[in-house]
Each structure stands twice: as structure tokens, then as C-alpha cells.
Amino acid sequence: MCFEFIFSGDLYHARKRRGWSQQKVAEMVAISVREYQNIERGRVTPHLKTFLRLVFLFDLNIELYREALTVHAPVSSC
């Protein structure tokens, strides 16, 4: 499955569970609201630093993304 699809859904649900706005999350990980919106919608792949900040912020299991991020995974798997 496509990394952007999996990660964006996880971000959306984690953010909603906490009752946080997209603006609050963007500020917490030091990116623009527009960039966060694009990540959460699956439109862009976050930079590694942003990805790690989001994983740690929401306490996501980074292992869940291993298969989707492997070099062997098809590029157009979405």
C-alpha cells in the first residue's frame, strides 16, 4: 500500500483524537499549515525530519511504515 495513503490517514485520526487543529500540529513540528495539510491529505511525502517529528509527536509506530517505504515497493502503489 502507498506510504502517503497510510501515513495521511494515521495523521488525520491521531490529530482528531487529540482535538488538535492542523495549525497547532504545523506549529508543533515547525512547518507551514499548507505543508501539513498537503501531508495529511496524502498529496506530498514529508521530508525525513518532518516525518520523524510527526511520528514522535503522535507516538505512531514507525514500523508500520517500513514496508511502504522500502525501495522494493512499487512507486505507483496508490
Side-chain angles (χ1 to χ4, degrees):
M1 193 171 274
C2 178
F3 165 77
E4 289 83 359
F5 178 76
I6 297 167
F7 190 57
S8 65
D10 290 349
L11 289 178
Y12 174 80
H13 293 295
R15 181 177 63 79
K16 287 294 190 179
R17 276 193 303 271
R18 286 166 176 77
W20 294 346
S21 67
Q22 290 179 329
Q23 181 171 344
K24 178 175 180 157
V25 174
E27 290 170 2
M28 293 173 82
V29 295
I31 60 175
S32 71
V33 176
R34 177 71 56 180
E35 183 176 355
Y36 180 75
Q37 289 170 335
N38 286 331
I39 294 168
E40 190 178 275
R41 291 179 183 142
R43 293 182 181 163
V44 299
T45 303
H47 295 285
L48 179 59
K49 188 183 222 179
T50 302
F51 168 71
L52 293 173
R53 286 178 178 170
L54 289 166
V55 165
F56 291 125
L57 175 67
F58 288 118
D59 195 29
L60 300 174
N61 182 351
I62 199 167
E63 290 297 317
L64 297 175
Y65 310 109
R66 180 188 295 267
E67 183 177 328
L69 287 171
T70 60
V71 175
H72 304 290
V75 175
S76 60
S77 60
C78 294

